[in-house]
Amino acid sequence: MPLTRRRFLAASTALAALPRAALATGQTRITAAPTKQQLAPGGYAATDVWAFNGKVPGEVLRYRQGDTLDVRLINGLQTQDTTIHWHGLRLPNAMDGVPDLTQAPVAPGKVFDYRFTLNDAGTFWYHPHANSLEQISRGLAGVLVVEEPQAPEVDDDRVLVLDDWRMADDAVIHPSFGAWHDMSHAGRLGNYITVNATPEHRQTVHPGARLRLRLVNTATARIFDLRFRGLAAWVVAHDAMPLDRPQRVERLALAPAQRTDLIVDITAEAGDEAALASVERDGTFALASFPVSGAAQGSRAAPAALPPNEMPAIDVNDARQVPLVMEGGAMRGLPDGGSYEGKQMDMRALAEAGQFWAFNGQVGMAETPMLEAFEGETIRVPITNNTAFPHAMHLHGMHFREVLKGGFGPWRDTILVAPNETREVVFNAHNPGDWMFHCHMPSHQMSGMMNWIRVS
Ligand code: C2O
Ligand code: CU
C-alpha cells in the first residue's frame, strides 16, 4: 500500500497539539543516535530513524535573547562521525560545527561542547554537518527558538517543521543516499511529507485567533509552495531576521533550510477549518489544519514588526564584487570540466568521482577560500545559476540581503536561485573566521556545490 496523505479540502477527525518546550537552563545534553519512531500512518510499522535525544524532529530548544546556549553533543551513532551546525546563528567560528573547517569531527562515542551567546532572537535550526545528506535524511534535525524580550501578543506560538522523506512502501527510509541520479538532478526528493513528523498538524482554534507559526524546512531537496485558506497571513521574519514591516502574503515559497515566521489571524468561522497547504505535483495537500470552534476573539489591528536584531551597516557603493557562477548537473554538465581536489578534470572523470557541479569552475572545497574578506568589508556576490535546477544558497555566520532595484530584500541566510537567474546578495563580513558558502540541498553540496570564505 503506498503512503498517501489527506487531500486539501477533505474532511477529517482527531486533533492533537504539541506541548511547548520549557526554556533551557544549564547544560543540555543532546545525543545523536538511532531509534524507532512512528512516522507513517497507523497500520505501518515504526521507522528506523536517527534522532537527537530520541525524537524526530529533535526537541525544540528554547532560549531568551542574550542567553548562553550550552549543549553537549554526544555521538551515539555507531558508524559515523558527526557534528552540530547551528543554522543561521551569528556565532563564534569555532562553534559553527563544520568538520575539518571549524572543529574536528566527533567520532562515535565522543562528545563536543557548544557554548555561545545567543545575540539574535528568531527561529533557527540545528543539524549535523557531517555526511549531511544521510544524517539529515535519516532524521537528525531540530529547531532552536530564541525568544524576543518583547514577543508579539499571540494566542499561540507554534513550530512547524516541514520535512520530506523518501520511504519504501514498508515505511523504511530508502537507503539510496548518494544516488548519482539525485546528485545530478533535483536532489533527494521524497515521497512522504510530514509536519512535526506527523502526516498533518491539527489544532483547534477560536474564530479570530492570532497564531505565530514558525515554519522550518528541514527537507534536503523539496521546495515548498505554500497556500493559505481561512486565515490572513503576514510574514514577520525570514531566516530569523524580522522584516521592517510585516508583509501580507497569499502564498509563500520555502526552500530547504529556510525559515519563515508568520503571524496569522484565523478568518474562518466556527464550524469551518483554516489551513496551511502545500502545492505538489499530484495535488494540493493540507500540512496544517485548524478546525475553528468556540467564541469569537475580537478583531485586532494588523500585527506590528518584531523588534529588530542588531544588523551591520551595508555600504553598497563601497562594496567589492565577487561573482559566483553555478554550473553543472544534468542537461548542462560541465563542458569545461572543473578543478577537483587540486586537479583539473574533465566532466567524465568528475562524474566517475561522483562530482557534478562547480562554483566558478571549482568543484567542492578547495585549499584556498573563494573569497578572503577583511573584517567589516562589504561584499556583493551576484549569484548566477547556469544550471537547469534551482539551488538554495546558504552562507554561514552572517546574513545577507538581496540587492534589488532601488533597495534591498530582507535579511536572509539562505536564498533560492532559479535556473538562468542572477540574484545579487550583499553582506558585511563582520564575523571573523572560515565560513561555508554552499547549496543547502546536500545532494548538490556533496557533489560539488560547496566552497568557503575567510574573514580576517
Ligand atoms: Cu544548514 Cu552548511 O548548513
Ligand atoms: Cu543545489
Side-chain angles (χ1 to χ4, degrees):
M1 173 170 57
L3 290 168
T4 54
R5 288 181 299 129
R6 207 171 68 97
R7 291 229 165 212
F8 197 38
L9 298 173
S12 80
T13 51
L15 51 109
L18 296 176
R20 240 181 97 168
L23 287 173
T25 47
Q27 194 182 53
T28 306
R29 295 161 68 90
I30 296 188
T31 303
T35 185
K36 273 188 189 298
Q37 185 167 326
Q38 188 69 40
L39 287 179
Y44 288 95
T47 297
D48 284 305
V49 295
W50 293 357
F52 289 126
N53 285 351
K55 262 179 61 201
V56 171
E59 61 193 301
V60 176
L61 302 176
R62 268 185 191 270
Y63 295 86
R64 262 192 219 109
Q65 189 169 18
D67 282 356
T68 300
L69 176 142
D70 186 358
V71 166
R72 168 160 294 181
L73 164 68
I74 301 152
N75 183 359
L77 303 173
Q78 282 115 34
T79 53
Q80 298 190 8
D81 293 347
T82 196
T83 61
I84 290 181
H85 168 58
W86 306 95
H87 184 114
L89 272 295
R90 300 189 292 162
L91 40 56
N93 193 238
M95 299 287 103
D96 198 41
V98 180
D100 301 320
L101 189 67
T102 68
Q103 69 167 91
V106 184
K110 295 283 189 281
V111 307
F112 189 89
D113 289 338
Y114 294 96
R115 200 160 195 283
F116 53 89
T117 308
L118 297 159
N119 295 315
D120 293 328
T123 305
F124 305 91
W125 66 298
Y126 58 101
H127 63 78
H129 220 288
N131 196 16
S132 306
L133 178 64
E134 178 172 6
Q135 295 193 11
I136 297 172
S137 296
R138 287 195 185 276
L140 289 170
V143 172
L144 166 63
V145 168
V146 183
E147 295 180 346
E148 302 85 9
Q150 260 111 36
E153 254 195 55
V154 292
D155 299 311
D156 191 44
D157 180 335
R158 279 291 141 165
V159 171
L160 299 179
V161 176
L162 313 187
D163 204 352
D164 178 31
W165 304 81
R166 183 177 293 180
M167 296 274 221
D169 279 349
D170 48 2
V172 168
I173 295 172
H174 206 285
S176 51
F177 305 106
W180 285 11
H181 185 273
D182 295 334
M183 288 185 164
S184 58
H185 291 73
R188 183 184 161 93
L189 288 166
N191 56 351
Y192 183 57
I193 289 168
T194 55
V195 180
N196 298 340
T198 65
E200 183 191 1
H201 173 76
R202 288 186 69 74
Q203 178 183 355
T204 304
V205 295
H206 286 271
R210 172 166 286 183
L211 316 175
R212 179 174 186 169
L213 302 178
R214 300 172 187 262
L215 309 180
V216 184
N217 183 355
T218 65
T220 57
R222 185 170 298 278
I223 301 158
F224 286 95
D225 176 8
L226 303 171
R227 304 298 157 89
F228 313 106
R229 192 191 66 210
L231 53 82
W234 291 265
V235 172
V236 289
H238 284 304
D239 297 347
M241 297 308 174
L243 304 193
D244 299 338
R245 235 171 300 116
Q247 184 194 359
R248 183 86 164 80
V249 290
E250 305 289 339
R251 56 188 292 182
L252 178 71
L254 203 66
Q258 289 186 325
R259 289 89 63 215
T260 293
D261 283 42
L262 294 176
I263 290 195
V264 306
D265 283 355
I266 302 295
T267 54
E269 290 171 10
D272 277 353
E273 205 170 277
L276 165 72
S278 144
V279 179
E280 288 153 38
R281 211 192 285 211
D282 51 345
T284 299
F285 297 89
L287 297 178
S289 296
F290 303 93
V292 183
S293 80
Q297 242 103 331
S299 75
R300 306 180 228 218
L306 298 175
N309 290 315
E310 203 177 306
M311 304 310 283
I314 296 278
D315 184 358
V316 230
N317 299 324
D318 201 30
R320 175 148 61 109
Q321 207 183 58
V322 183
L324 187 155
V325 178
M326 310 162 117
E327 289 170 304
M331 265 86 91
R332 310 255 172 110
L334 292 167
D336 301 323
S339 170
Y340 179 57
E341 294 185 337
K343 275 195 296 249
Q344 183 63 32
M345 289 163 67
D346 64 20
M347 180 160 67
R348 192 194 179 104
L350 286 166
E352 274 162 15
Q355 299 295 315
F356 302 99
W357 313 88
F359 291 161
N360 298 342
Q362 171 66 38
V363 179
M365 296 294 273
E367 279 298 302
T368 51
M370 62 168 284
L371 157 69
E372 289 192 58
F374 60 82
E375 200 178 322
E377 189 177 4
T378 302
I379 307 286
R380 301 170 71 136
V381 187
I383 305 172
T384 300
N385 182 355
N386 284 342
T387 82
F389 300 89
H391 301 286
M393 285 297 293
H394 170 48
L395 176 64
H396 286 212
M398 287 154 286
H399 277 62
F400 49 71
R401 318 185 73 159
E402 191 176 357
V403 181
L404 301 171
K405 274 195 201 80
F408 294 118
W411 291 99
R412 296 215 77 132
D413 60 49
T414 306
I415 186 172
L416 186 64
V417 188
N420 309 317
E421 184 177 70
T422 297
R423 310 278 296 266
E424 182 168 21
V425 299
V426 61
F427 67 98
N428 181 319
H430 66 84
N431 200 355
D434 293 342
W435 304 106
M436 297 282 294
F437 192 25
H438 64 89
C439 174
H440 215 292
M441 295 153 167
S443 302
H444 297 161
Q445 178 190 344
M446 294 170 84
S447 60
M449 289 199 143
M450 60 171 158
N451 212 310
W452 60 294
I453 70 170
R454 172 166 287 162
V455 179
S456 53

